[in-house]
């Protein structure tokens, strides 16, 4: 059910925020906020069903490099509880640079990761080292492992392995 809620939120965020300018982002305990002008999107990292618009925003130095970037798209990753924000920054030289913010709403392992266009992690809320992936500055971002069956493959009333 978490994914269905997140998928609907992503659709709504695309309608509300597309082409808006990024202002700031930050953390307040287990909450993460993204500000696009007067619209602030807040995520409760410990609860994948708690995404809402708010009036408060938090500022973090880690995301200052994105100020003024335009939101190009909002999507999910691997049909899971990971939201990907694609931001396009126009540099003084006229060139563009793409950044991605991944908000992983995966319960106790929730995280927020900022990468460049090559997928290199620039900033991370919580660094960790696991058997499947390493999440720390300077390494390439790998999404959480996909261990779920497609919804169309699920048969109700039968035990699956």
């Amino acid at each position: 059910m978490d994914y269905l809620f997140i998928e609907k939120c992503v659709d709504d965020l695309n309608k509300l925020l597309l082409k808006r300018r990024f202002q700031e982002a930050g953390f307040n305990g287990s909450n993460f906020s993204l500000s696009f002008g007067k619209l602030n999107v807040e995520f409760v990292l410990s609860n994948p069903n708690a995404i809402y618009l708010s009036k408060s925003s938090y500022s973090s130095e880690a995301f200052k490099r994105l100020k003024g970037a335009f939101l190009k798209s909002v999507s999910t990753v691997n049909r899971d509880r990971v939201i990907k924000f694609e931001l396009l920054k126009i540099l003084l030289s006229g060139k563009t640079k793409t950044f991605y913010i991944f908000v992983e709403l995966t319960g106790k392992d929730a995280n927020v990761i900022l990468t460049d266009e090559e997928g290199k992690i620039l900033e991370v809320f919580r660094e960790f080292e696991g058997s499947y992936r390493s999440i720390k500055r300077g390494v390439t971002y790998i999404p959480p492992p996909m261990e779920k069956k497609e919804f169309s493959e699920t048969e109700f009333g039968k035990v699956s392995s």
Side-chain angles (χ1 to χ4, degrees):
M1 291 302 278
D2 293 339
Y3 173 74
L4 298 175
F5 173 78
I6 290 171
E7 187 175 49
K8 176 63 176 145
C9 286
V10 165
D11 289 342
D12 290 346
L13 290 174
N14 265 313
K15 291 174 190 169
L16 282 172
L17 302 176
L18 211 59
K19 298 181 183 176
R20 286 188 179 257
R21 284 190 148 194
F22 176 84
Q23 295 297 318
E24 61 187 355
F27 298 97
N28 181 15
S30 66
N31 293 3
F32 175 68
S33 172
L34 289 171
S35 178
F36 294 91
K38 293 182 181 180
L39 288 175
N40 300 312
V41 183
E42 191 155 342
F43 302 90
V44 178
L45 296 177
S46 59
N47 182 355
N49 292 324
I51 301 170
Y52 54 91
L53 298 176
S54 73
K55 291 183 179 179
S56 61
S57 65
Y58 319 112
S59 184
S60 171
E61 292 297 318
F63 293 89
K64 291 285 186 197
R65 70 180 91 207
L66 298 178
K67 188 171 176 97
F70 291 95
L71 182 66
K72 188 173 178 184
S73 70
V74 182
S75 60
T76 57
V77 177
N78 291 341
R79 299 185 58 87
D80 200 1
R81 297 168 294 167
V82 179
I83 300 175
K84 177 172 109 177
F85 292 85
E86 182 179 3
L87 297 145
L88 188 68
K89 174 93 177 193
I90 301 171
L91 305 173
L92 292 175
S93 64
K95 294 181 180 181
T96 59
K97 190 166 184 175
T98 304
F99 294 94
Y100 299 97
I101 298 174
F102 294 92
V103 181
E104 297 181 347
L105 300 168
T106 52
K108 68 179 180 100
D109 296 324
N111 213 342
V112 177
I113 299 138
L114 171 66
T115 70
D116 62 12
E117 48 206 4
E118 287 87 35
K120 181 180 170 187
I121 297 175
L122 304 173
E123 297 292 337
V124 61
F125 174 60
R126 184 181 305 126
E127 290 187 345
F128 75 90
E129 188 87 29
S131 60
Y132 176 75
R133 65 187 188 143
S134 176
I135 300 295
K136 56 185 177 182
R137 287 175 187 84
V139 301
T140 302
Y141 174 72
I142 299 170
M146 185 64 182
E147 299 170 354
K148 299 176 183 129
K149 289 185 175 183
E150 287 291 323
F151 188 72
S152 60
E153 295 174 16
T154 306
E155 294 182 38
F156 294 99
K158 292 190 177 186
V159 177
S160 60
S161 55

